[in-house]
Amino acid sequence: MSTMKTFNTAFFLPLVLLFLSACSNEEKVVKEEKRTLVDHKIDAVNEAKQSVEQINTKTTVTESALVLQTQPANASKLYTNKCASCHGLNAEKSALNTSANISQWDSDKIQNALHGYKNGTYGGKMKAIMEAQIKPLSDEEIKQLSNYITLL
């Protein structure tokens, strides 16, 4: 009988352990598959977010280009002829190192300044030069020019 007990212990114990470890491994595999599935879903969501961000960036750039293209050609010519020599091609310069840099101004601020130059109520050292540049412009041209500058 003790031989039989030894046989049972030697035979069945490893078998039971093998069975238990197999069940345990199955659970691990299922958990890993579930984790992998979740990870794939998370990756897919992150990729989708990146795609949307790229599309939004391209759309913003395209919209800016479209707005710039739809501005009257007159605004571009006005800026090139009247402003660019002092303020730079992209409004990035301080005119003759004495004026404010207008590249960060909004359209309303630019319009108010230009109207002020036109009627003589605005300006410092460069007032006379600016008055001469702005006087011949209509209110519509000032508006177009102001909007154009904000897009540079």
Side-chain angles (χ1 to χ4, degrees):
M1 187 87 163
S2 83
T3 313
M4 187 62 137
K5 189 175 181 183
T6 305
F7 174 76
N8 283 343
T9 303
F11 180 74
F12 287 113
L13 184 60
L15 188 61
V16 169
L17 290 173
L18 179 63
F19 176 74
L20 290 175
S21 70
C23 289
S24 173
N25 284 341
E26 264 185 42
E27 288 176 13
K28 286 180 184 176
V29 169
V30 169
K31 284 180 183 176
E32 286 180 13
E33 286 176 358
K34 285 182 183 177
R35 191 181 69 75
T36 303
L37 181 60
V38 170
D39 287 342
H40 285 302
K41 288 182 179 181
I42 290 171
D43 289 344
V45 168
N46 287 335
E47 287 175 19
K49 284 181 180 178
Q50 288 176 348
S51 294
V52 169
E53 287 173 6
Q54 289 174 347
I55 289 169
N56 286 342
T57 301
K58 288 179 183 175
T59 301
T60 302
V61 169
T62 304
E63 286 173 354
S64 295
L66 181 60
V67 169
L68 191 57
Q69 287 174 354
T70 57
Q71 288 296 314
N74 191 33
S76 174
K77 287 179 186 173
L78 281 174
Y79 184 81
T80 301
N81 293 336
K82 294 198 168 278
C83 311
S85 61
C86 294
H87 289 282
L89 292 175
N90 296 309
E92 77 280 6
K93 292 181 180 178
S94 168
L96 305 174
N97 294 323
T98 59
S99 75
N101 181 329
I102 61 172
S103 66
Q104 301 301 312
W105 287 15
D106 63 33
S107 181
D108 288 338
K109 185 172 182 176
I110 296 169
Q111 282 184 58
N112 289 336
L114 294 179
H115 283 295
Y117 281 123
K118 185 173 181 174
N119 65 30
T121 61
Y122 182 86
K125 292 180 183 179
M126 306 307 290
K127 187 175 183 176
I129 293 172
M130 287 298 296
E131 247 181 81
Q133 294 295 315
I134 301 306
K135 277 245 190 241
L137 299 181
S138 69
D139 288 345
E140 182 59 30
E141 288 173 318
I142 289 174
K143 181 179 178 182
Q144 290 174 6
L145 184 58
S146 300
N147 290 335
Y148 179 80
I149 292 169
T150 63
L151 298 172
L152 297 176

